[in-house]
Amino acid sequence: MNESLLKEKARAIRLLCVESSARTNSSHLGCSLSMADLMAYLYFEKMDQTTDSFILSKGHAAIGLYATLYERGIINQNEFESYHSDGSQLLAHPNHYVNGVDVSTGSLGHGPAIAAGLAWGKSISKQTGTVYCLLGDGECQEGTVWEALIFISRGLFNNLVLIIDANNYQGFSDSSDSLFAQQKLLGMLKGTGLDVREVDGHNFSEIHRSLSDPLAKPRILFARTTKGKGVSYMENRFEWHYKSPNPEQLAQALEELK
Ligand SMILES: [Mg+2]
């Protein structure tokens, strides 16, 4: 693993997210920054672009996905810069007409079930490759997540990794802990019998270690992250689920990230 490359890519993804949010006055910045290290790891270290699949179940963080696809060279500069403008395919939630986006998402809770179907299909047809699905901790309060987990835990296939971006914040409320304690959520996830691992979602060595051994069963990474990671005034501040930076805030954010 080239950790300095991954750090540089995560930093580039965060810069693109902040600049795009400011330019287009779009929301969901804090939850895009929290997942940037996980995205850098998946796209620049882990995933095989021809055989593996990725689904962003927490689709509101679309800018984090588009920034990653742009950094990886899967979408071009013109496409990326059209984000959130009239006529663009780069909507505020992932759209499967965009190169590199297999599934349109954003209606929360649907990603794990779609990922499970893809993984099972690959397994039945003897295709190689792993399906990765990133979801939010608040999203785990959706019932469909648990319907999917019941199916996933039946032992029909191994080739699936669910990654929970556990930033402890969610829309329309405050901390996820205040609604449903993360320790309780973790206990319920472990109760599925799947291979559940806790990691620091900003520590590349930990992420790498947690994904290096072969999948004996579907795996869940409970990745503890910081909402707004990388910009001091956004970190652990709920309002950055919705706000975009004004010019002064943008200047400070760029200064800190650069
Ligand atoms: Mg969250």
Side-chain angles (χ1 to χ4, degrees), residues 4 8 25 41-42 57 77 86 92 94 101 107 124 132 148 153-154 162 164 179 196 203 211 215 238-239 248 256:
S4 58
E8 182 49 37
N25 196 27
Y41 181 78
L42 289 174
S57 193
Q77 187 174 359
D86 284 350
V101 179
S107 192
I124 289 170
Y132 295 88
S153 64
R154 284 179 57 193
L162 302 179
I164 297 171
L179 280 180
V196 180
N203 182 319
L211 288 174
L215 298 170
F238 160 72
E239 63 265 31
E248 295 74 36
E256 290 184 19

Side-chain angles (χ1 to χ4, degrees), residues 31 34 58 60 135-139 165-171 176 182 225 227 241:
C31 46
S34 65
K58 46 172 276 185
H60 49 282
L135 60 159
D137 50 356
E139 186 180 6
D165 177 16
N167 59 26
N168 196 28
Y169 285 87
Q170 62 191 87
S176 300
Q182 287 202 323
T225 59
K227 192 139 181 166
H241 191 83

